[in-house]
Amino acid sequence: MVLNRKLYPLVLIDIALFTIEDDALKVLLVKRAQEPEVGQWALPGGILKPEIDQSLEGAARRVLRDKVTVDIAHLKEVQTFSGPDRDPRGWSVAVLFYALLPRDQIDALVRSKVEAVQWFDATKPGHRLAFDHQHQLGSALRVLKEKVNAHALPLHLMPPLFTLTALQRTCEAILGRPLDKGVFRRKLSDSPDLVETGEYVRGPQRPAQLFKARDGFRF
Amino acid sequence: MVLNRKLYPLVLIDIALFTIEDDALKVLLVKRAQEPEVGQWALPGGILKPEIDQSLEGAARRVLRDKVTVDIAHLKEVQTFSGPDRDPRGWSVAVLFYALLPRDQIDALVRSKVEAVQWFDATKPGHRLAFDHQHQLGSALRVLKEKVNAHALPLHLMPPLFTLTALQRTCEAILGRPLDKGVFRRKLSDSPDLVETGEYVRGPQRPAQLFKARDGFRF
DNA sequence: AGAATAGTGTCTGTCAGACAGTATCGC
DNA sequence: GCGATACTGTCTGACAGACACTATTCT
């Protein structure tokens, strides 16, 4: 039985899960299998279950585990979306989180539920999204951009070892604009979050040094 | 009757309401009149009422109207606090907002419920606060500082007309450190949010020009 | 004149942007 | 040597911090 939503609101969590693919920022969307908005693409999300969740962030982590078979360590809250009309089931509070996933784990993930889960271009998904998820995605993108603009390094999007050029491509994909190589590397040179490995990647040109994230790094 | 909190969480809103008094940043606290935590000082807050609220922000505005007799236009969401143990009534989600109130309205406010409502120094209230409100206050302060550091002007804390020196005192109270007069005024000189009035305040020294906030200004 | 506060000017170091230049690989 | 990419150096303009200087009022 459904409870009277005039007295008790639905408490939902939604997640904007980002990754980098082909030097483009992608967001994970799921095709809804149930009413409401069946068949529409939406951000992965679910209902808070107080009996098993320890917090809203814990609920978000659980949803990602269940729906998408990914265990994400670091979720960041963006903001809430609330009101009587944003979900047809009645008065609802949706708490939006975002997370960054390194491209390494993409394959394992997409294999899990091939039909229902797909990566889309984060800046223009090319579909109408369910509920207010278009709006939510915009908010998550804005917060992500702000952090990168404030010189935070999105190392959680990178594989364990990466070149500075690859990191620059990732930042450019997030910000949607080209960055100057000299400026970018000057800032990195005194970042405590980056660690040189001394390893080099070889190819048909000058080898590039491989870096890794500082131990315990958090975006 | 109380509902089983193992199935349906409490949805609460709390508000950190700031003002400036004697060139110090103050936060409004209320002495709790009911269990739990009777007699403890706490941020004003309340339970979301879906039957009358249009959103969480609307609920926050309602709570301020009811508890504190103030109508605040601009509330900003900070973040959520959630879990099974933060409120003895059971699993709860608290959404924290903050707001800025010009000192003009202080008198009218404090008169409303003299015993139960009081302004405290925002950086060290000098009391243990109920629930996780000490933590919440810290988060609200951090967000407020970040905005002012990013050159946003806390004009909602100022009376309709104010001098640049008074504005500087306000920013210093928020940031907790002195600011250089020259630097401060240089930044203001090309701010579209400040409007000269041509009026001057007279005193036992050189008169200072009065400014006002741009029409439609929002922090 | 002197006290007090308002308001301005200037020097300096830091840093972002732009861009040129050098280095090192495969072929 | 050549193409390609990695990496470094340099010039410039904007701006923050520090601080001194001028301006205007009242007593």
Side-chain angles (χ1 to χ4, degrees):
Chain A
M1 268 307 298
V2 174
L3 201 71
N4 184 356
R5 292 284 159 237
K6 290 240 168 75
L7 284 175
Y8 302 97
L10 267 174
V11 179
L12 309 164
I13 51 93
D14 292 314
I15 302 125
L17 181 58
F18 295 111
T19 198
I20 295 287
E21 198 177 15
D22 302 328
D23 287 338
L25 186 68
K26 305 277 184 169
V27 65
L28 190 76
L29 299 180
V30 299
K31 200 166 198 166
R32 287 187 57 81
Q34 304 176 348
E35 288 289 357
E37 304 251 17
V38 175
Q40 294 291 318
W41 290 98
L43 295 174
I47 300 179
L48 172 71
K49 296 186 178 174
E51 70 269 30
I52 54 176
D53 296 320
Q54 287 304 299
S55 64
L56 287 165
E57 187 183 328
R61 206 160 18 239
R62 170 179 57 78
V63 165
L64 281 182
R65 262 201 316 272
D66 294 353
K67 285 213 178 185
V68 160
T69 332
V70 178
D71 214 333
I72 298 277
H74 309 307
L75 287 151
K76 280 269 189 185
E77 180 176 334
V78 179
Q79 63 174 99
T80 63
F81 297 81
S82 60
D85 302 323
R86 59 166 300 284
D87 188 306
R89 286 166 286 185
W91 222 107
S92 62
V93 176
V95 184
L96 172 64
F97 292 84
Y98 76 85
L100 306 180
L101 186 71
R103 34 190 151 184
D104 291 314
Q105 299 179 33
I106 290 182
D107 288 346
L109 188 155
V110 173
R111 255 185 253 121
S112 64
K113 289 188 178 182
V114 182
E115 302 246 312
V117 176
Q118 199 174 319
W119 294 100
F120 288 87
D121 191 297
T123 52
K124 31 179 159 64
H127 284 85
R128 198 195 79 80
L129 301 189
F131 310 113
D132 53 4
H133 286 193
Q134 186 77 51
H135 188 196
Q136 291 197 23
L137 176 55
S139 293
L141 273 173
R142 179 178 44 77
V143 171
L144 178 57
K145 278 190 191 182
E146 280 170 6
K147 280 214 70 150
V148 174
N149 259 324
H151 306 145
L153 297 176
L155 301 184
H156 296 309
L157 287 172
M158 308 302 293
L161 296 180
F162 52 87
T163 65
L164 297 187
T165 302
L167 180 55
Q168 183 178 343
R169 296 273 170 276
T170 294
C171 290
E172 288 172 337
I174 292 171
L175 297 176
R177 62 182 171 88
L179 297 174
D180 182 89
K181 183 168 50 171
V183 175
F184 188 73
R185 297 169 102 97
R186 195 164 43 201
K187 275 188 320 209
L188 296 183
S189 65
D190 44 303
S191 164
D193 292 328
L194 277 183
V195 180
E196 304 189 35
T197 64
E199 306 272 327
Y200 286 82
V201 66
R202 304 177 61 84
Q205 70 274 26
R206 175 170 173 181
Q209 188 172 182
L210 287 167
F211 288 75
K212 61 179 178 184
R214 191 199 78 222
D215 210 53
F217 169 80
R218 275 200 72 167
F219 182 61
Chain B
M1 267 308 297
V2 174
L3 200 73
N4 184 355
R5 293 282 158 235
K6 291 240 169 77
L7 284 175
Y8 302 97
L10 267 175
V11 179
L12 308 165
I13 50 95
D14 292 313
I15 303 126
L17 181 58
F18 294 111
T19 198
I20 295 286
E21 199 178 15
D22 302 328
D23 288 337
L25 185 67
K26 306 277 183 168
V27 65
L28 191 76
L29 299 180
V30 300
K31 199 164 199 167
R32 288 189 56 83
Q34 304 175 349
E35 288 290 355
E37 305 251 15
V38 176
Q40 294 291 319
W41 290 98
L43 295 174
I47 300 178
L48 172 71
K49 295 185 178 173
E51 70 268 30
I52 54 174
D53 295 320
Q54 286 303 300
S55 63
L56 287 166
E57 187 183 328
R61 205 159 18 240
R62 170 178 58 77
V63 166
L64 281 183
R65 263 200 317 273
D66 294 354
K67 285 214 180 185
V68 160
T69 333
V70 178
D71 214 333
I72 298 278
H74 309 307
L75 287 152
K76 282 269 191 185
E77 180 176 334
V78 179
Q79 64 175 100
T80 63
F81 297 80
S82 59
D85 301 322
R86 58 167 299 285
D87 188 306
R89 286 166 288 186
W91 221 108
S92 62
V93 176
V95 184
L96 172 65
F97 292 84
Y98 76 86
L100 307 180
L101 186 70
R103 33 190 152 183
D104 291 312
Q105 299 180 32
I106 290 182
D107 289 344
L109 188 155
V110 174
R111 255 184 254 123
S112 66
K113 290 188 180 183
V114 181
E115 300 248 313
V117 176
Q118 200 174 319
W119 293 101
F120 288 87
D121 190 298
T123 52
K124 32 178 157 60
H127 284 86
R128 199 196 78 81
L129 302 190
F131 310 114
D132 53 4
H133 286 193
Q134 186 77 49
H135 187 196
Q136 290 197 24
L137 176 56
S139 292
L141 272 173
R142 180 178 45 76
V143 171
L144 178 58
K145 277 190 191 183
E146 280 170 6
K147 281 215 70 150
V148 174
N149 259 324
H151 306 147
L153 297 176
L155 302 184
H156 296 309
L157 286 173
M158 309 302 293
L161 297 179
F162 52 86
T163 65
L164 297 187
T165 302
L167 180 56
Q168 184 179 341
R169 296 275 171 275
T170 294
C171 290
E172 288 172 335
I174 292 170
L175 296 176
R177 62 182 171 89
L179 297 174
D180 182 89
K181 182 169 54 168
V183 175
F184 188 73
R185 297 169 102 98
R186 195 165 45 201
K187 276 189 320 212
L188 297 182
S189 66
D190 45 301
S191 164
D193 292 328
L194 277 184
V195 181
E196 303 188 34
T197 64
E199 306 272 327
Y200 287 82
V201 66
R202 303 177 61 86
Q205 70 275 25
R206 175 171 174 178
Q209 188 171 183
L210 287 167
F211 288 75
K212 60 180 178 183
R214 191 199 79 224
D215 211 54
F217 168 80
R218 276 199 70 167
F219 182 60

